[in-house]
Amino acid sequence: MRHLLRPIGRPAGQGGMARLTTFAKGLLLSAVYCAGYLVAWRLSLDQWFLPAGLRAAVLLFMPLRLWPYLLLGDAAALLALRVPLIDEGQSATWAYLSPLLLMPLSALVPLWFRRRVPDVMVWQQRLLPVVLGMALWGVLINKVLNWLLDGPVTDINVENALKFWVGNYLGILVFVLPALLWVRREGTALMSRGLMHDSLRAALMVGALFAAAMNVPDGVARQFLLVMMIVPGFWLTLGHEWRGAAVGIVMADIAVAMALAKSHQAGAFDLEMFYVQMLVSFAATTLFVLGTRIAGVMEQARRLGFAEQEALQVAQASYMSAERTLRNRVIEYTDIHVHINKLRRDIATTLKQHGHYAAAMEMNRTGVIQAQLLDDYVAALYPLDIETHGLYGALNSVAFANACDTEVEARLHGDSRRLSIGLQLAAYRCVLNAMEILPDAGRHTITARVWSARGKRGVVVTLEADAAMPGAGRKHHNADEMDWELASRLKAHDGTCRRRHERKISFLISEPLERTVTS
């Protein structure tokens, strides 16, 4: 009866088949890793040990659930390399046991790092110190296992340790940095189009330096040219931050390795190239740290830029909200004024019917005066002319001149209706602020020009008070308050201001071209 209790829609044996498939894929991964390890070993030298890089890359970036298969592949590769050495007199204990212990011990450092920093998106800030630690740890556990298991033992001194440390470190960089680029890729491509093009140029520069170095006799000149192969990496770093640094480091690393004497004899050592490798290692570490620092600064700048942009958008929305409120009030006042005029006309008609013509005429005269005062008040409160005739229509209106208590000479160029209502209103308010800042004058000249360039459009306005016509002594608001209000409005609308002298102010405001013209 147990088979009747299985979940409906789940065939018997499905779980076992899935586990078998997973196991088969794991064995395939082990085989691929083993083959890759053997190929990397064939291409390696003591001063440039690629298997350490392959091991470090998979331990850092492969899921933990796949580690058992990777351990199996690593052990198989080492057994294939070390068991034949028994015939050459090496210890069988070392040949059979060290392959089973090497990768589990090597995994301690990357496991600690992955547990401590689980977010791969911030690894570039801490990766190279960890890689340095992994390279040194690999040297130490190799030496200890060889000593404990009667394996090949070389002199344990600083020189040997440094040689293997640098070799492991450079070998790790060849695998870890491309893996980091892949994990942190943007989109489906390993690198952006711009980085790809710049990398090709950098590769040409590295190739030219390598060719020059190979045609120079051994000595300081050759070492200098080989070390200079890291310079294109600095150029990539300045343009593409840590990603450019990673590409430049890998290029220089491989190029320096190609300059090494191709000797697979145990203990082979090229002292002159070792000096070059140490300098390249130091430069690579410095370069990657520089790239991460630049990336951090750029990210902070982008965040601040986004925050500032959001603040400006909030300020613009606040200004537009205030304008809509004023517009609604103006419409309400206009409706009330229409009703008052209707009542006044009815009363005047009634007075005429009863023979009170003088009273009716006085009421009509009073109504005209009140209408003019209300029009001036409404124009100062919100310029409805902007919605029909644009900014230039509002600046040319009698209501604007009355609101500013001055004669206005307007020199207007372009079509202000190409600008959004919000920007036109901002320009209008800035003109009013500038009028308050300028000294009293009976006439003001307003010069304005609408422009568009580089994905933006806007208006440049210049106001000048005529010194030959003194003003009527209109009341000014606080000058500092007006300056602050003008500066705030200009900043919110991507503008700037310049006061050429006491009687002349120029300002500019702009907006993106894609912004809609209607509010």
Side-chain angles (χ1 to χ4, degrees), residues 85-104:
L85 297 179
I86 297 176
D87 296 334
E88 299 179 10
Q90 297 297 339
S91 167
T93 304
W94 169 80
Y96 284 105
L97 191 56
S98 63
L100 304 178
L101 297 176
L102 186 58
M103 192 168 186

Side-chain angles (χ1 to χ4, degrees), residues 191 194-204 235-236 247 251:
M191 58 184 72
L195 179 55
M196 179 71 72
H197 291 166
D198 288 344
S199 298
L200 292 176
R201 298 187 184 98
L204 292 176
W235 173 63
L236 288 174
V247 175
M251 286 182 184

Side-chain angles (χ1 to χ4, degrees), residues 48 50 128 169-181 190-191 199 202-203 206 229-230 232-234 236-237 242-258 280 283-285 287-288:
W48 192 60
L50 293 178
L128 283 206
Y169 180 57
L170 293 177
I172 291 174
L173 292 180
V174 173
F175 285 92
V176 167
L177 293 182
L180 180 64
L181 285 174
L190 178 63
M191 58 184 72
S199 298
V206 171
M229 289 191 296
I230 198 68
F234 279 94
L236 288 174
T237 302
W242 68 266
R243 289 181 171 84
V247 175
I249 290 170
V250 172
M251 286 182 184
D253 191 352
I254 294 175
V256 170
M258 292 173 63
V280 169
T285 305
L287 188 60
F288 198 79

Side-chain angles (χ1 to χ4, degrees), residues 180 286 517:
L180 180 64
T286 304
V517 173

Side-chain angles (χ1 to χ4, degrees), residues 45 47-48 209-211 213-214 218 222-223 225-227 229 252-262 270 272-274 276-277:
L45 302 168
Q47 290 178 243
W48 192 60
L209 289 169
F210 178 80
M214 292 299 99
D218 291 347
R222 184 178 184 182
Q223 291 176 339
L225 289 172
L226 291 174
V227 172
M229 289 191 296
D253 191 352
I254 294 175
V256 170
M258 292 173 63
L260 288 167
K262 303 301 183 291
D270 187 336
E272 289 189 0
M273 287 303 301
F274 180 64
V276 173
Q277 286 183 299

Side-chain angles (χ1 to χ4, degrees), residues 444-497:
H444 288 78
T445 302
I446 300 178
T447 305
R449 181 180 297 276
V450 174
W451 58 271
S452 63
R454 297 181 180 179
K456 291 185 177 183
R457 64 188 175 204
V459 60
V460 180
V461 182
T462 300
L463 294 92
E464 185 173 8
D466 192 345
M469 295 184 63
R474 58 190 173 94
K475 183 179 179 180
H476 278 264
H477 294 87
N478 184 276
D480 292 337
E481 181 181 344
M482 288 297 103
D483 283 338
W484 178 85
E485 185 174 340
L486 176 61
S488 300
R489 199 179 297 273
L490 289 174
K491 184 174 180 61
H493 293 86
D494 194 18
T496 184
C497 180

Side-chain angles (χ1 to χ4, degrees), residues 342-357:
K342 184 177 182 303
L343 291 174
R344 184 183 295 110
R345 286 195 299 270
D346 292 342
I347 294 173
T349 301
T350 302
L351 289 173
K352 289 179 181 179
Q353 289 174 353
H354 290 81
H356 302 293
Y357 293 100

